[in-house]
Amino acid sequence: DAGVIQSPRHEVTEMGQEVTLRCKPISGHDYLFWYRQTMMRGLELLIYFNNNVPIDDSGMPEDRFSAKMPNASFSTLKIQPSEPRDSAVYFCASSLRGQGSATNEKLFFGSGTQLSVL
Amino acid sequence: AQKVTQAQTEISVVEKEDVTLDCVYETRDTTYYLFWYKQPPSGELVFLIRRNSFDEQNEISGRYSWNFQKSTSSFNFTITASQVVDSAVYFCALSNAGGTSYGKLTFGQGTILTVHP
């Protein structure tokens, strides 16, 4: 089975440019998460979706960041305009929650997108 | 507020040694989940274990074992007879149980484990 697929693996851009990161979750999963990893702040949740609906975007750092999930198999994280401090590894993760006692909080992470903003 | 502390920034061992990675957490919730993830050099995060706050039984999976102690708010991870392939960054994480907190993991800073041949 294919895991969570992220593209691109690496992105180098110049300050002020728009950046779009893409994620294809595992088929059938109903939750999708965007996490960011930096040396200073570690791993932090940016936003997550349930059944394509954004549930909590309190981790999104600024209005420059936006995320969409137009359907169950695709999500984007956009940064416009990008800044050097946005340089980080961005992870997408998906999960199938389950019901009742079978609730399964196991997140499957993609390989991440290494973003460098010069 | 939740917090996860992994006091060991880096650990270096020789193959076949046992190694324990420490994790201490803080939460005001009575029900929560604890996790360990592995991040190998390839970069992806690999799920290792999830433990409910009401289940303090230790768990063993092959060479891996986990010791959960609510009294000390610790969830330590031991690798027995370490191997070079165990070299990775290991993250401990915490989340509230369910509701709108589902999947909202608070990660520790990670421990870099290097296993030398």
Side-chain angles (χ1 to χ4, degrees), chain A residues 3 8-9 16 21 30 35 37 40 44 51 59 67 78 81 87 93 95 100 114 117:
Chain A
R9 284 299 308 273
L21 311 180
D30 55 354
Y35 277 83
Q37 184 178 31
M40 291 297 295
E44 52 183 348
N51 292 323
K78 185 176 294 186
S87 297
S95 179
Q114 174 79 59
V117 183

Side-chain angles (χ1 to χ4, degrees), chain A residues 62-97:
Chain A
E62 298 174 32
D63 291 345
R64 298 184 296 107
F65 285 69
S66 63
K68 294 182 179 180
M69 192 166 185
N71 58 62
S73 59
F74 184 64
S75 177
T76 60
L77 178 66
K78 185 176 294 186
I79 308 172
Q80 165 63 22
S82 59
E83 297 183 2
R85 60 193 168 123
D86 301 331
S87 297
V89 180
Y90 291 81
F91 287 101
C92 177
S94 71
S95 179
L96 176 62
R97 182 166 183 170

Side-chain angles (χ1 to χ4, degrees), chain A residues 9 31 33 35 37 39-43 45 48 56 58 91 95-97 103-107 109-111, chain B residues 33 35 37 39 42-45 47 50 91 95-109:
Chain A
R9 284 299 308 273
Y31 278 79
F33 306 84
Y35 277 83
Q37 184 178 31
M39 288 295 293
M40 291 297 295
R41 300 173 66 88
L43 277 155
L45 178 66
Y48 78 95
D56 187 342
S58 59
F91 287 101
S95 179
L96 176 62
R97 182 166 183 170
T103 300
N104 175 22
E105 200 157 348
K106 179 177 177 179
L107 273 60
F109 283 80
S111 298
Chain B
Y33 296 118
F35 304 79
Y37 278 84
Q39 187 175 39
S42 52
E44 75 277 19
L45 284 156
F47 171 89
R50 183 191 81 156
F91 291 94
S95 79
N96 295 331
T100 57
S101 297
Y102 178 81
K104 294 177 70 172
L105 304 183
T106 298
F107 284 88
Q109 286 298 101

Side-chain angles (χ1 to χ4, degrees), chain A residues 1-74:
Chain A
D1 289 340
V4 176
I5 300 172
Q6 292 187 246
S7 64
R9 284 299 308 273
H10 303 275
E11 177 79 39
V12 180
T13 189
E14 292 188 349
M15 184 173 63
Q17 296 298 306
E18 177 179 297
V19 175
T20 299
L21 311 180
R22 296 173 176 79
C23 174
K24 176 179 170 57
I26 293 173
S27 178
H29 281 191
D30 55 354
Y31 278 79
L32 183 138
F33 306 84
W34 283 100
Y35 277 83
R36 178 171 70 172
Q37 184 178 31
T38 62
M39 288 295 293
M40 291 297 295
R41 300 173 66 88
L43 277 155
E44 52 183 348
L45 178 66
L46 300 178
I47 184 171
Y48 78 95
F49 296 81
N50 176 213
N51 292 323
N52 314 336
V53 176
I55 303 300
D56 187 342
D57 65 355
S58 59
M60 296 285 262
E62 298 174 32
D63 291 345
R64 298 184 296 107
F65 285 69
S66 63
K68 294 182 179 180
M69 192 166 185
N71 58 62
S73 59
F74 184 64

